[in-house]
Amino acid sequence: MEYQRITSIEDPLFAQMHNLMKEIFPPEEVLDFPLWKEPLEDPGIRVFVAVHEGQVVGATEYRYYEDWNVAMTDFTIIGREGLGIGAFLANHRKRDLQALAAANGKELFGMFAEIYNPYLSQDHSFGGIKPMDPYVRREVLSHLGYKRIDFPYVHPSWQGDGEAVGGLDLCFMPGDEELAELPASLVYDFLNRYYAVLPNKPQEWLDMAAKLSERNKVSLLPL
């Protein structure tokens, strides 16, 4: 299996990845094909695919923020069972992020991720791929060290229609597993930068951000 970076929508591997995304994720979570052009060309956005026998069988997108020394996992896709794709992607991503942090003269503080909460919503079948089942994914991410950030969470739809998307938790995997809280300002600033690309914010998101801005700390709770 190969870990290959995609930097152009002209890369034939990208078409495979985008089709896989449409099979796995609900429509509001998938950016339209042509809108990927600029993100893929952005050096700060890292999109990698797992290629097995010429086929894209998994993918992950993530980014590293030097000023905060934190990362964000945008998504992880496991497209086939029995190949160890999840561990393959997680290990390569970890090594890449550790190298980026080291080049910044630091050890990675931690990584954000939006994680589906099947106890809030059971609407997602994820293309029938069992490793993508939200109950399975939640437990796997808990084993990796992710913790739930303690505040009610919604995010703007990636379809750009101003709709709020619920059924997820914003989580954080701290480099120090004993870390029990984060500065609320870090979470607030991160969300504002991360979703700056979507100017049409739903009122639910604006209300959430306003309440977050009034807090000093947010707790990290078990998944």
Side-chain angles (χ1 to χ4, degrees):
M1 198 144 47
E2 300 173 18
Y3 191 67
Q4 295 192 24
R5 188 173 185 183
I6 296 178
T7 58
S8 169
I9 60 173
E10 303 298 327
D11 188 330
L13 292 176
F14 175 69
Q16 288 191 43
M17 187 195 87
H18 197 259
N19 286 334
L20 190 59
M21 290 184 73
K22 290 190 293 184
E23 292 173 12
I24 296 294
F25 292 128
E28 66 270 15
E29 298 290 340
V30 182
L31 198 64
D32 287 343
F33 191 103
L35 298 180
W36 277 90
K37 185 179 186 302
E38 290 187 9
L40 288 175
E41 294 172 354
D42 185 337
I45 298 177
R46 308 179 72 79
V47 179
F48 286 84
V49 291
V51 182
H52 176 68
E53 297 179 346
Q55 297 298 310
V56 171
V57 294
T60 185
E61 175 185 311
Y62 52 96
R63 57 195 81 194
Y64 174 66
Y65 298 89
E66 288 188 1
D67 49 347
W68 299 321
N69 188 33
V70 300
M72 169 66 174
T73 299
D74 299 325
F75 63 78
T76 301
I77 298 174
I78 299 168
R80 196 184 301 177
E81 300 91 341
L83 292 177
I85 297 167
F88 176 83
L89 292 173
N91 290 334
H92 278 79
R93 180 176 60 216
K94 181 179 180 180
R95 287 196 290 268
D96 188 32
L97 285 169
Q98 287 176 335
L100 291 170
N104 194 28
K106 299 175 181 177
E107 292 186 13
L108 186 66
F109 180 66
M111 182 159 33
F112 289 100
E114 293 174 334
I115 298 176
Y116 284 94
N117 186 342
Y119 304 101
L120 294 176
S121 173
Q122 301 183 29
D123 294 338
H124 304 311
S125 64
F126 290 95
I129 303 295
K130 289 301 182 183
M132 294 294 293
D133 181 285
Y135 290 99
V136 175
R137 286 162 56 82
R138 197 170 178 87
E139 288 305 312
V140 168
L141 291 164
S142 176
H143 277 73
L144 287 176
Y146 277 97
K147 301 178 182 182
R148 178 173 65 85
I149 304 175
D150 188 23
F151 75 111
Y153 185 65
V154 296
H155 78 73
S157 168
W158 284 102
Q159 292 183 313
D161 53 12
E163 293 296 316
V165 178
L168 302 101
D169 292 313
L170 184 65
C171 299
F172 190 75
M173 180 174 63
D176 176 3
E177 63 182 21
E178 300 300 322
L179 190 70
E181 60 185 17
L182 292 175
S185 59
L186 172 62
V187 182
Y188 175 83
D189 290 343
F190 163 73
L191 288 174
N192 274 278
R193 184 185 298 183
Y194 187 70
Y195 283 111
V197 70
L198 295 175
N200 192 13
K201 304 288 197 310
Q203 189 60 46
E204 296 95 322
W205 190 91
L206 296 173
D207 292 342
M208 175 198 75
K211 291 178 182 177
L212 189 59
S213 70
E214 296 170 354
R215 300 176 61 176
N216 292 320
K217 301 282 186 179
V218 285
S219 297
L220 294 175
L221 303 178
L223 280 178

